[in-house]
Amino acid sequence: MTVLEAINLSTDYLTKKGVDSARTNAELLLADILKCKRLDLYLSFDRPLDEKETKIYRDYITRRGKREPLQYITGKVEFYGLEFYVNKHVLIPRQETEILVETIINSYSENSFSRILDIGTGTGNISITLAKHLRETKIISIDISHRALEVAAQNVKLSGTESNLFIKQCDVFDTESVAKLGKFDLIVSNPPYVSKNEFFTLQDEIINHEPEMAVTDNQDGYSFYKRISEAGRELLNDKGKIFFEVGQNQHQNVISILNDSSYKNIKTIKDYLQIERVVSAEK
Ligand code: GLN
């Protein structure tokens, strides 16, 4: 079978299985196996696949047909120009989260935060990009999931950010452990903000494959915003900042939560799709 034949066959198969952008998926998975760029495949359409390549490709396509996300199959994802290792124990970093990171990096010039806390770090994408750009800042990354922290630890190593990034297992709802974290100039979080009801309306890729605890709070979608806002009153230094990522149409409610906890200077920032995506506030 040639590259082109394999791509065509796989595209038909993935289309039947209801995968969006079936051809792109078929191409990206093959490019990963052949260790080339997706567009390079177009220069080798007639290249025959050997037995080993065919076997791996069949396995990848079968997995994708079962709606396993592409990134879990290839084991990687790009975020803010860096490559991250991912597996099923962590949420796949999303492009819209880059806005959150970019906003913090841009505001650094006026504020120079010396300690940042990232709550629910997952792959470590937020923490690591901040640690790379803000070399003078000490970043503490917490997550409740040991499995997620193993992924984050690998990414810290890969990115060479060990000198200013420290990961710790911690449940943000456990007030005693949270109190031991110390004081911070900034808290950032992209918490599980999908409500219990909305969760079941999401794509199969998310419902059946991404860690449920990273996606939904199994309540109304606001429990982490409430808890983190409350915890911030203790954890933040004077004038310390909070930066949240929020789900579509959640910004008004998150603003109210921050208001109720007496935060000032509340702002929102839109993502590239014009959706209000970041809410920031000051203690
Ligand atoms: N901090 C990670 C991200 O923003 C994980 C977030 C989460 O698991 N809810 O992608």
Side-chain angles (χ1 to χ4, degrees):
M1 195 164 39
T2 65
V3 162
L4 182 61
E5 284 164 351
I7 291 173
N8 285 339
L9 215 78
S10 304
T11 303
D12 289 346
Y13 179 77
L14 294 180
T15 307
K16 279 198 206 98
K17 295 285 177 183
V19 172
D20 283 343
S21 313
R23 186 166 175 113
T24 309
N25 274 268
E27 290 177 357
L28 286 170
L29 287 169
L30 188 54
D32 188 71
I33 294 165
L34 302 182
K35 299 188 176 48
C36 67
K37 293 226 164 61
R38 183 183 150 211
L39 292 181
D40 293 338
L41 294 173
Y42 287 73
L43 304 173
S44 33
F45 272 163
D46 295 333
R47 172 192 185 291
L49 297 182
D50 68 25
E51 216 174 294
K52 198 170 152 223
E53 290 161 350
T54 311
K55 192 169 169 293
I56 302 174
Y57 194 42
R58 194 171 291 139
D59 171 54
Y60 279 15
I61 293 295
T62 308
R63 285 169 67 183
R64 189 68 191 93
K66 291 185 184 144
R67 307 296 291 273
E68 183 173 345
L70 178 105
Q71 296 87 338
Y72 289 156
I73 301 172
T74 62
K76 57 182 182 252
V77 63
E78 199 192 294
F79 180 83
Y80 212 78
L82 285 178
E83 191 174 288
F84 289 85
Y85 162 64
V86 283
N87 67 22
K88 65 175 183 196
H89 300 300
V90 289
L91 188 86
I92 298 165
R94 305 296 204 265
Q95 211 187 343
E96 58 268 25
T97 306
E98 293 178 341
I99 308 286
L100 181 64
V101 171
E102 188 176 74
T103 312
I104 296 173
I105 293 172
N106 288 342
S107 67
Y108 182 79
S109 51
E110 297 154 34
N111 300 285
S112 71
F113 321 109
S114 58
R115 278 171 55 91
I116 293 181
L117 175 65
D118 174 20
I119 300 177
T121 199
T123 48
N125 57 328
I126 295 175
S127 293
I128 288 168
T129 41
L130 291 175
K132 276 252 167 201
H133 286 83
L134 314 175
R135 302 298 318 195
E136 307 295 310
T137 302
K138 182 170 174 179
I139 321 263
I140 312 289
S141 319
I142 63 168
D143 204 293
I144 190 173
S145 158
H146 288 281
R147 289 251 166 89
L149 291 176
E150 282 168 18
V151 175
Q154 283 202 44
N155 283 319
V156 169
K157 245 196 201 153
L158 282 172
S159 61
T161 45
E162 295 99 329
S163 60
N164 62 331
L165 200 170
F166 305 88
I167 49 188
K168 277 201 176 103
Q169 196 276 339
C170 178
D171 173 2
V172 71
F173 286 90
D174 175 353
T175 39
E176 255 175 59
S177 331
V178 168
K180 291 187 192 134
L181 295 169
K183 292 276 185 186
F184 298 89
D185 306 300
L186 189 148
I187 294 174
V188 56
S189 187
N190 175 22
Y193 54 63
V194 175
S195 69
K196 189 178 180 149
N197 294 338
E198 200 196 338
F199 182 70
F200 293 100
T201 68
L202 303 175
Q203 298 161 294
D204 285 359
E205 276 85 349
I206 304 176
I207 303 177
N208 296 327
H209 296 278
E210 294 201 71
E212 188 176 318
M213 62 151 80
V215 178
T216 176
D217 64 352
N218 261 311
Q219 297 179 41
D220 64 355
Y222 294 97
S223 51
F224 281 84
Y225 298 116
K226 289 179 194 146
R227 170 64 196 135
I228 295 170
S229 301
E230 174 196 285
R233 299 309 306 178
E234 309 295 326
L235 291 170
L236 286 170
N237 289 321
D238 248 11
K239 303 225 170 209
K241 309 262 194 302
I242 285 196
F243 284 79
F244 284 136
E245 172 169 325
V246 298
Q248 191 162 7
N249 298 323
Q250 284 185 322
H251 63 287
Q252 289 298 357
N253 288 333
V254 174
I255 291 173
S256 307
I257 291 168
L258 286 161
N259 260 323
D260 291 347
S261 293
S262 315
Y263 285 88
K264 293 177 276 203
N265 214 354
I266 303 173
K267 292 181 192 152
T268 63
I269 292 140
K270 291 193 174 80
D271 66 15
Y272 50 90
L273 293 173
Q274 300 306 311
I275 297 167
E276 299 283 8
R277 189 56 76 185
V278 173
V279 179
S280 69
E282 189 179 300
K283 189 179 162 189

